[in-house]
Amino acid sequence: MKTLKKLLLLTAAVLCCSGLFAQSNKKIALVIHGGAGVILKKNMTPEKDKAYREKLQEALDAGYAILENGGTSEEAVIASIMVMENSPLFNAGKGAVLTNAGHCELDASIMDGKTLEAGAVAGVTNIKNPVLAAKAVKDNSVHVMLSGKGAEAFAKDEGLELVDPSYFITDRRKQQLEKAKTMDESRGHLGNPEGNNNFKFGTVGAVALDQQGNIVAATSTGGMTNKRFGRIGDSPIIGAGTYANNQTCGISSTGHGEYFIRLAIAHNISAQMEYKGVSLQDASQDVIMKQLTDLGGTGGVIGLDKEGNIMMTFNTPGMFRGFKKVNGETGVFIYNDEE
Ligand code: ASP
């Protein structure tokens, strides 16, 4: 009897330890971006460089702490994105770029790789954190995408924090708009061939893999400077700006949205993995460095797969980005010659 008791205790201890071991071995990972574009070291002051890196690190830490503590990938990407939406440094939430009329029209989306459920808002002007509205659309509506006044009414019903539209506007973006208005329309954006740092973008995105093996991706943006006529980019479009599928990968895009929509960039990468059996890295190389580049588009993507492999691929001089993996690998980067 005594031996049996001992054996039972030993078995329980082994099971318990292996449980803990399994937990600490989970492949949690988080990757974020704060926009791709003509971001050149020579145009960046040391103070600005530092400010961006610190904010990226803060966003990364906020999301990763959630994953480490057993939280969901959805909670993690939302925490990371909210840090960046609340910072005037990025083109999302406060500090978003201005439309031709001088105000902010914000887009955001989120997708759950386990259920393939998704939510998005487009062209909203008074929702403090558009990523929360995207999540609310996913969870509490029968739709995937809501726009403009309707999306704002929905957010109000959901009890989300609303702000006066002036909350989002910063002097820096006002100056950028004035400059953009003096340029030919096709150049007043990310693809600006003159490499004017003023037009670097700052759309934000995050993709996470949690301890349950679930992938969630989300993206939030103000779109493109000087946009008109209710222009909507790729960021709120599932399959272009955001995509997640536990079987393949999660992706968040940043770049010249019109090209990202036409190439269905985020789904394109997932589909190549699914149908061709290629790696996340190879799929993104093909989609960004070949398909997007050949079409004349600029920008980048971040992503991760179910094994926690991280990908950050872009064809611009820079992309604000960072990642953290369970094996301790981590970093934040700005220019294309880092990593
Ligand atoms: N993709 C965004 C858009 O076209 C802009 C960006 O990523 O900077 O609206």
Side-chain angles (χ1 to χ4, degrees):
M1 191 59 195
K2 249 190 174 169
T3 331
L4 185 67
K5 211 172 170 187
K6 264 190 188 165
L7 201 69
L8 280 175
L9 276 173
L10 194 71
T11 317
V14 167
L15 281 176
C16 182
C17 284
S18 64
L20 283 177
F21 184 69
Q23 173 116 338
S24 63
N25 245 346
K26 292 281 183 192
K27 298 167 180 158
I28 56 170
L30 175 66
V31 57
I32 62 171
H33 72 76
V38 183
I39 310 162
L40 300 170
K41 210 179 252 167
K42 66 174 168 85
N43 295 332
M44 193 75 105
T45 62
E47 294 74 32
K48 259 191 171 178
D49 182 292
K50 185 164 173 276
Y52 274 106
R53 287 181 202 269
E54 282 175 2
K55 205 37 99 174
L56 286 168
Q57 192 64 57
E58 185 186 329
L60 206 51
D61 291 345
Y64 197 81
I66 291 173
L67 296 175
E68 258 183 333
N69 291 327
T72 66
S73 40
E74 175 170 283
E75 290 164 341
V77 298
I78 287 177
S80 291
I81 286 185
M82 281 178 67
V83 167
M84 296 187 281
E85 283 183 338
N86 294 342
S87 162
L89 291 175
F90 301 97
N91 173 19
K94 187 167 183 67
V97 299
L98 301 179
T99 64
N100 179 267
H103 59 252
C104 294
E105 290 176 2
L106 309 168
D107 308 327
S109 62
I110 189 163
M111 184 161 184
D112 182 327
K114 182 182 179 194
T115 60
L116 302 187
E117 284 170 358
V121 292
V124 297
T125 61
N126 67 353
I127 302 171
K128 185 176 179 205
N129 291 106
V131 71
L132 292 179
K135 171 184 153 49
V137 172
K138 171 173 76 63
D139 292 345
N140 304 333
S141 85
V142 292
H143 309 293
V144 168
M145 188 191 286
L146 300 179
S147 71
K149 295 282 163 248
E152 290 168 2
F154 174 78
K156 188 168 180 228
D157 284 354
E158 288 292 310
L160 297 184
E161 187 174 351
L162 304 181
V163 289
D164 188 89
S166 62
Y167 159 81
F168 299 108
I169 299 176
T170 59
D171 284 346
R172 181 169 76 116
R173 297 303 189 191
K174 279 188 192 164
Q175 286 158 15
Q176 284 180 6
L177 176 62
E178 287 323 308
K179 182 98 196 251
K181 281 183 172 173
T182 66
M183 301 175 76
D184 131 11
E185 200 172 13
S186 66
R187 286 160 58 191
H189 57 61
L190 174 85
N192 168 21
E194 301 203 328
N196 187 327
N197 197 41
N198 278 340
F199 295 98
K200 72 178 179 297
F201 273 29
T203 290
V204 306
V207 188
L209 173 67
D210 62 26
Q211 294 188 18
Q212 276 65 50
N214 292 323
I215 299 174
V216 170
T219 311
S220 180
T221 190
M224 293 172 82
T225 305
N226 202 19
K227 64 186 183 181
R228 290 194 284 170
F229 312 121
R231 179 264 184 192
I232 306 288
D234 59 310
S235 306
I237 297 180
I238 299 301
T242 300
Y243 195 73
N245 182 338
N246 277 3
Q247 303 316 313
T248 54
C249 62
I251 302 288
S252 171
S253 309
T254 171
H256 191 169
E258 280 66 12
Y259 292 85
F260 280 67
I261 295 171
R262 289 154 64 200
L263 289 169
I265 293 266
H267 183 261
N268 191 333
I269 294 171
S270 170
Q272 289 207 27
M273 292 175 71
E274 189 176 352
Y275 305 146
K276 284 169 71 180
V278 298
S279 69
L280 173 62
Q281 197 57 44
D282 287 351
S284 62
Q285 280 292 321
D286 177 67
V287 171
I288 299 298
M289 305 316 272
K290 191 161 180 359
Q291 297 186 31
L292 178 69
T293 305
D294 287 356
L295 207 60
T298 48
V301 284
I302 55 159
L304 51 73
D305 64 18
K306 58 185 172 188
E307 301 302 324
N309 294 309
I310 299 285
M311 172 281 291
M312 305 183 289
T313 304
F314 53 101
N315 69 358
T316 48
M319 178 164 83
F320 298 107
R321 62 201 186 280
F323 74 93
K324 199 163 184 176
K325 288 170 74 166
V326 74
N327 64 5
E329 276 180 57
T330 185
V332 296
F333 313 94
I334 300 180
Y335 315 106
N336 64 3
D337 54 359
E338 293 183 74
E339 283 169 52

